[in-house]
């Protein structure tokens, strides 16, 4: 009798949800910040600040931020349609996708991260925890290096968030001991306007 074992990590990559941008910025826009008529100050703190998004979501909602892991794929050395910074993460790589949600079930964010496959268990000892919580448990010192910001659309994220786009997102590298640890791509739900206000201000309020 043959026993079929289902792996916890897939070896056939599934799709991940990259925005189709209508605007994107990097470098100078990230350092200087955007005009408030383009992106309101509270949203800029979330997207361009170097703090933990899962911690920020918890503070905003007064609920623990939990994750639903929807994909753990071994992708080898392919570029995976990721930002070009994926080349900074040594291969072979593992891709992880999650929904970020409140304990009561409201999805507030989506994240994809790419890790060196041979080291992922060292840093994500409990893969069901948010990355911030996992790294805080082992007292890992990190630098969040934000490299890109986007406004765009995704049909899959519209369904997942149950909100119409456009959505704001970003990507960044985590550095640890002077070496790139992981590349992360995050998108946030417009539902956060309940806590942060609208993403854009009228020109009269600038």
């Amino acid at each position: 009798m043959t026993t079929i074992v289902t792996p916890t990590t897939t070896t056939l990559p599934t799709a991940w949800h990259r925005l189709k941008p209508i605007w994107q910025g990097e470098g100078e826009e990230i350092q200087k910040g955007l005009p408030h008529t383009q992106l309101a100050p509270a949203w800029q703190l979330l997207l361009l600040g170097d703090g933990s998004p899962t911690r920020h979501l918890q503070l905003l909602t007064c609920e623990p931020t939990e994750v639903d892991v929807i994909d753990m794929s071994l992708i080898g050395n392919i570029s995976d349609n990721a930002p070009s910074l994926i080349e900074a993460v040594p291969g072979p790589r593992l891709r992880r996708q999650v929904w970020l949600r409140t304990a009561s079930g409201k999805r507030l964010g989506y994240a994809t991260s790419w890790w060196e496959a041979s080291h992922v268990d060292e840093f994500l000892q409990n893969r069901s925890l948010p990355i911030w919580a996992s790294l805080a448990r082992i007292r890992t010192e990190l630098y969040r290096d934000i490299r890109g910001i986007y406004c765009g659309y995704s049909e899959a994220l519209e369904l997942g968030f149950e909100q119409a786009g456009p959505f704001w997102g970003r990507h960044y590298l985590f550095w640890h001991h002077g070496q790139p640890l992981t590349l992360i791509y995050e998108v946030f739900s417009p539902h956060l306007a309940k806590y942060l206000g609208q993403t854009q201000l009228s020109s009269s309020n600038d």
Side-chain angles (χ1 to χ4, degrees):
M1 178 177 179
T2 302
T3 301
I4 299 175
V5 178
T6 302
T8 56
T9 301
T10 67
T11 55
L12 296 175
T14 58
W16 67 280
H17 308 315
R18 183 168 185 164
L19 293 176
K20 296 177 182 177
I22 56 176
W23 179 89
Q24 61 188 64
E26 56 186 17
E28 186 175 352
E29 288 96 342
I30 291 171
Q31 293 302 316
K32 291 175 58 178
L34 306 181
H36 291 172
T37 50
Q38 184 176 6
L39 185 62
W43 280 88
Q44 295 201 45
L45 287 173
L46 175 67
L47 285 158
L48 301 181
D50 58 4
S52 162
T54 50
R55 175 65 172 159
H56 289 161
L57 295 178
Q58 181 173 322
L59 293 173
L60 287 171
T61 64
C62 295
E63 290 189 57
T65 302
E66 299 183 355
V67 301
D68 293 322
V69 180
I70 56 177
D71 172 41
M72 294 284 284
S73 293
L74 295 169
I75 63 168
N77 294 305
I78 66 173
S79 63
D80 201 30
N81 196 34
S84 60
L85 277 175
I86 193 174
E87 297 300 330
V89 179
R93 306 180 188 97
L94 180 143
R95 186 224 295 138
R96 176 180 187 255
Q97 296 185 72
V98 303
W99 292 110
L100 304 174
R101 60 170 175 81
T102 62
S104 59
K106 187 66 178 180
R107 289 176 177 169
L108 300 179
Y110 162 82
T112 302
S113 56
W114 293 267
W115 303 76
E116 184 177 1
S118 61
H119 288 170
V120 67
D121 287 334
E122 176 183 349
F123 296 101
L124 296 182
Q125 296 174 2
N126 183 341
R127 296 186 182 186
S128 66
L129 289 176
I131 290 176
W132 166 75
S134 293
L135 298 177
R137 282 189 169 194
I138 57 176
R139 301 293 190 268
T140 302
E141 295 183 4
L142 298 166
Y143 169 60
R144 192 186 309 266
D145 184 8
I146 301 169
R147 295 292 191 91
I149 183 172
Y150 310 89
C151 182
Y153 289 90
S154 164
E155 292 181 5
L157 295 182
E158 286 193 358
L159 292 172
F161 288 139
E162 299 181 330
Q163 297 276 330
F167 307 108
W168 282 90
R170 63 181 183 172
H171 76 263
Y172 55 88
L173 279 173
F174 260 152
W175 293 79
H176 175 57
H177 291 165
Q179 299 295 322
L181 174 63
T182 180
L183 172 65
I184 300 180
Y185 186 104
E186 292 171 339
V187 181
F188 295 96
S189 169
H191 179 75
L192 288 170
K194 174 181 177 180
Y195 309 98
L196 297 172
Q198 297 302 311
T199 55
Q200 294 174 304
L201 302 179
S202 66
S203 58
S204 61
N205 292 332
D206 187 28

